[in-house]
Amino acid sequence: MVLKKIYTLVFLRNEKKILLGLKKRGFGINKWNGFGGKVEQNESVIEAAIREMKEECCVTVKKDDLKSVGQLEFTFEGDPVMMDVRVFSGVVYYGTPTETEEMAPKWFTYDSIPFDDMWPDDRLWFPYMLNNKLFYGKFHYKDLDTISNYDIRELKSM
Ligand SMILES: Nc1nc(SCCc2ccccc2)c2[nH]cnc2n1
């Protein structure tokens, strides 16, 4: 009985800014986040990450330009399926980030990341990503807005 689902989450960044998208529908609606979604049965994690970037903001990223930077595991009170989110970061992309039905993309400087309009866990693990540390975090939510407990640690390698 599979009790976990794998997701991707991609952040395009350079030394000045990070690309986030405002989720316009579905899970995480009205929150700023990286780009991503479910990994389908017929694709690898990296293929899913690339597919979601294209679908959600019309940007092409190549496999070799995405770095695996972390893994986040989310459980929600009353939901037996754990979300296993594979986080990627990259600098190189092709095309222009464009709004779709899913996401409205926007570049943020690092001092203006809208944490109050993001998932509560983001402010806990973003510092690892922004300081180029590999990370592994586990977060349990008692409701969609409240983390009841969590653990995060730096990884030496992914
Ligand atoms: N930053 C962040 N992201 C997610 S879900 C990311 C993966 C996803 C899943 C479904 C649709 C699109 C994208 C979170 N869940 C709980 N805390 C969270 N923090």
Side-chain angles (χ1 to χ4, degrees):
M1 250 247 281
V2 178
L3 291 181
K4 83 167 176 179
K5 241 182 187 158
I6 304 181
Y7 296 85
T8 62
L9 193 58
V10 175
F11 294 93
L12 294 182
R13 302 170 40 210
N14 62 35
E15 68 287 349
K16 288 201 175 358
K17 57 191 197 304
I18 182 169
L19 185 70
L20 299 175
L22 185 62
K23 194 83 180 341
K24 295 166 60 176
R25 66 185 184 190
F27 187 77
I29 188 170
N30 293 331
K31 289 186 192 339
W32 292 95
N33 204 352
F35 300 86
K38 240 193 318 294
V39 177
E40 304 299 346
Q41 297 218 324
N42 63 339
E43 63 186 355
S44 68
V45 174
I46 196 79
E47 286 164 345
I50 293 166
R51 174 181 54 76
E52 289 286 359
M53 277 306 282
K54 190 84 187 162
E55 286 175 5
E56 292 191 342
C57 72
C58 313
V59 151
T60 300
V61 287
K62 299 218 182 301
K63 173 168 153 314
D64 295 349
D65 292 327
L66 282 183
K67 299 290 163 251
S68 178
V69 296
Q71 182 176 6
L72 300 167
E73 295 184 350
F74 300 109
T75 50
F76 296 87
E77 205 67 41
D79 182 344
V81 182
M82 179 257 278
M83 293 180 74
D84 176 355
V85 181
R86 310 293 171 83
V87 186
F88 297 89
S89 180
V91 178
V92 175
Y93 66 93
Y94 305 88
T96 306
T98 305
E99 182 167 351
T100 63
E101 291 180 348
E102 282 282 329
M103 292 287 245
K106 183 171 184 249
W107 290 100
F108 290 86
T109 53
Y110 291 111
D111 55 0
S112 69
I113 294 174
F115 286 115
D116 289 346
D117 294 314
M118 296 165 74
W119 285 96
D121 53 278
D122 292 14
R123 65 178 82 226
L124 299 169
W125 57 266
F126 257 56
Y128 289 83
M129 179 170 71
L130 303 187
N131 287 296
N132 302 311
K133 309 272 186 222
L134 304 177
F135 58 91
Y136 172 61
K138 301 174 80 156
F139 302 83
H140 182 70
Y141 275 82
K142 73 174 178 190
D143 59 51
L144 281 179
D145 307 312
T146 318
I147 296 169
S148 51
N149 65 297
Y150 75 95
D151 176 69
I152 183 162
R153 63 186 181 90
E154 184 184 342
L155 296 176
K156 293 294 168 226
S157 71
M158 280 297 299

